[in-house]
Amino acid sequence: MKLTSPAFKNKGEIPKIHALNYGNLLPVFNCKDAPNNTVSLAMIIDDPDAKKVPKKIGGQGKIWVHWTAWNMINSTKGMMTSDTVEGMTSFQRTGYDGPAPPDKEHTYRFSIFALDTKLSLDSKATKTDLTKAMKGHILEQDVLLGTFEDPELRKKRLAKEVKK
């Protein structure tokens, strides 16, 4: 099984239109070669680098969750359907919230899971709830990585480096 996006290559830079402060548009994803007995797909987008963000600039000391969704299907029209449920993010709301690193470039994980069932979770479910519900139902999974640094913060960071 392979997760790709026309928006960016694996380990490539995520276009700013998908970032929280620059459009907050969920990228389009394609899932190829899911097992034949896949009933639904689930996805988690998170930021492991957020765990290292200093508290003085808002760090929470945890992996930051940007999106969770389940009961997706794989079709030529896309993975999201009326059965798709979006769960809670670290922003304490449902739906997609794009990259917004407060310090430097972060690498984001886009994890896809092929499941042998649909999940009966509501939209108040967290990443932890989703992970527990998927246990024993994952047929296959893949991860797409993307990087992002806020362009305005990058300018400031580079200007400081030049002054040193």
Side-chain angles (χ1 to χ4, degrees):
M1 184 168 87
K2 186 76 176 158
L3 180 65
T4 60
S5 175
F8 60 96
K9 293 181 176 166
N10 188 40
K11 299 182 183 175
E13 188 172 338
I14 300 165
K16 74 178 188 178
I17 190 71
H18 303 294
L20 181 66
N21 299 320
Y22 297 94
N24 205 36
L25 182 66
L26 177 68
V28 171
F29 297 102
N30 300 309
C31 182
K32 294 186 169 114
D33 301 323
N36 288 337
N37 53 340
T38 300
V39 173
S40 69
L41 300 170
M43 192 165 190
I44 297 170
I45 302 174
D46 61 14
D47 175 7
D49 293 337
K51 196 170 187 175
K52 301 176 207 148
V53 173
K55 287 190 189 287
K56 67 181 179 182
I57 59 169
Q60 303 289 313
K62 65 179 186 177
I63 294 172
W64 199 260
V65 179
H66 288 267
W67 193 57
T68 60
W70 53 92
N71 296 344
M72 298 186 295
I73 60 163
N74 204 19
S75 76
T76 55
K77 296 179 182 177
M79 297 189 320
M80 303 262 298
T81 67
S82 60
D83 289 341
T84 299
V85 181
E86 296 177 285
M88 296 298 290
T89 69
S90 293
F91 295 94
Q92 300 303 309
R93 56 187 177 228
T94 60
Y96 172 78
D97 284 303
D103 55 347
K104 59 183 180 178
E105 181 180 274
H106 285 206
T107 298
Y108 295 82
R109 281 189 305 212
F110 299 77
S111 303
I112 189 85
F113 304 88
L115 306 176
D116 65 3
T117 188
K118 284 193 169 189
L119 301 175
S120 55
L121 295 170
D122 67 24
S123 62
K124 294 198 182 334
T126 64
K127 175 185 169 183
T128 302
D129 298 327
L130 174 57
T131 302
K132 285 178 184 174
M134 289 191 301
K135 193 169 186 163
H137 297 287
I138 299 172
L139 300 170
E140 206 169 319
Q141 64 189 71
D142 192 37
V143 175
L144 173 66
L145 299 175
T147 62
F148 185 78
E149 180 175 9
D150 186 296
E152 295 302 316
L153 293 177
R154 178 184 287 151
K155 281 182 201 172
K156 290 176 185 175
R157 182 179 55 77
L158 293 175
K160 282 181 185 176
E161 289 176 9
V162 168
K163 288 180 183 177
K164 288 181 181 179

